[in-house]
Amino acid sequence: ETLAFTPEALSSRSGIDPAICAAYLKFMSVGFGEVSADYRLPSATQPFQQRGLVRHDGRFIVVTPYALVHGLRSRLEEAIKADAAQWDRYARHRGLYLEESALTRFAAVFPKAEIYGNLKYTTADGKDAELDALVLFDNIAFLVECKAGAMTLAARRGDPLSMERDLKKLLVASH
């Protein structure tokens, strides 16, 4: 009981509205009985990778602290996908953010480089194409193609087959 806390206690410590604290805690938690009945031993892709809290009788215990930050993106994206129009808008903005961030990072690392973004060109077979960035530094040219998609939990833990499948999905399916 010493480690358990309520949304009201989190609100009191953080200054955030109790309803917002309650919604966040519920969103990022797993309640008793919500884990699959065949779950026996911890695995590399167990539910607490995305939800770092256990919920019981209105109280919460942190069981996977890193999941409270690292699991938030996948949990939010899961919720946004319920609305196709909202998901399309989010995915478009996520991609634009990634491209802008990549240009900013290249400029920071190579301050004397020539950097061009969002370049359009025509392929040898006459198709219109785009290059997210071209970075010219000294006698080196970086051709940058940004992919804002997510990797599965199995791929993020290093499973080779999952990594291969996810990378093919991100890279091949986009062209």
Side-chain angles (χ1 to χ4, degrees):
E1 187 171 305
T2 305
L3 299 175
F5 60 94
T6 64
E8 295 76 22
L10 179 61
S11 173
S12 173
R13 294 285 304 244
S14 67
I16 298 172
D17 182 273
I20 293 171
C21 290
Y24 171 78
L25 292 171
K26 183 175 182 193
F27 187 69
M28 293 302 291
S29 65
V30 176
F32 284 99
E34 292 179 14
V35 175
S36 173
D38 64 353
Y39 178 77
R40 299 280 187 261
L41 298 170
S43 71
T45 55
Q46 46 95 0
F48 299 109
Q49 278 189 296
Q50 292 185 354
R51 300 179 185 203
L53 300 163
V54 171
R55 176 181 70 251
H56 183 65
D57 287 339
R59 298 178 69 81
F60 297 84
I61 298 173
V62 177
V63 292
T64 318
Y66 76 88
L68 298 176
V69 174
H70 298 288
L72 188 57
R73 174 185 168 190
S74 57
R75 293 284 297 131
L76 288 172
E77 287 181 351
E78 182 182 306
I80 292 169
K81 284 180 183 177
D83 181 331
Q86 188 175 8
W87 173 254
D88 289 343
R89 182 172 174 238
Y90 168 79
R92 185 175 56 255
H93 286 284
R94 181 182 65 184
L96 292 171
Y97 173 78
L98 174 62
E99 291 172 16
E100 291 171 11
S101 294
L103 293 174
T104 300
R105 300 297 189 271
F106 270 106
V109 173
F110 301 108
K112 295 183 180 185
E114 294 178 55
I115 300 174
Y116 306 94
N118 205 14
L119 301 171
K120 310 283 188 221
Y121 63 97
T122 304
T123 63
D125 59 355
K127 294 181 182 175
D128 290 333
E130 176 193 7
L131 180 64
D132 293 328
L134 172 63
V135 180
L136 303 173
F137 179 74
D138 196 22
N139 64 346
I140 301 169
F142 294 96
L143 306 175
V144 181
E145 189 65 30
C146 299
K147 298 297 172 203
M151 302 289 278
T152 60
L153 288 173
R156 285 189 281 171
R157 74 168 162 77
D159 177 62
L161 294 176
S162 297
M163 290 174 67
E164 180 180 351
R165 183 190 63 241
D166 288 2
L167 287 171
K168 281 181 180 177
K169 182 179 173 186
L170 286 171
L171 300 174
V172 176
S174 66
H175 290 283

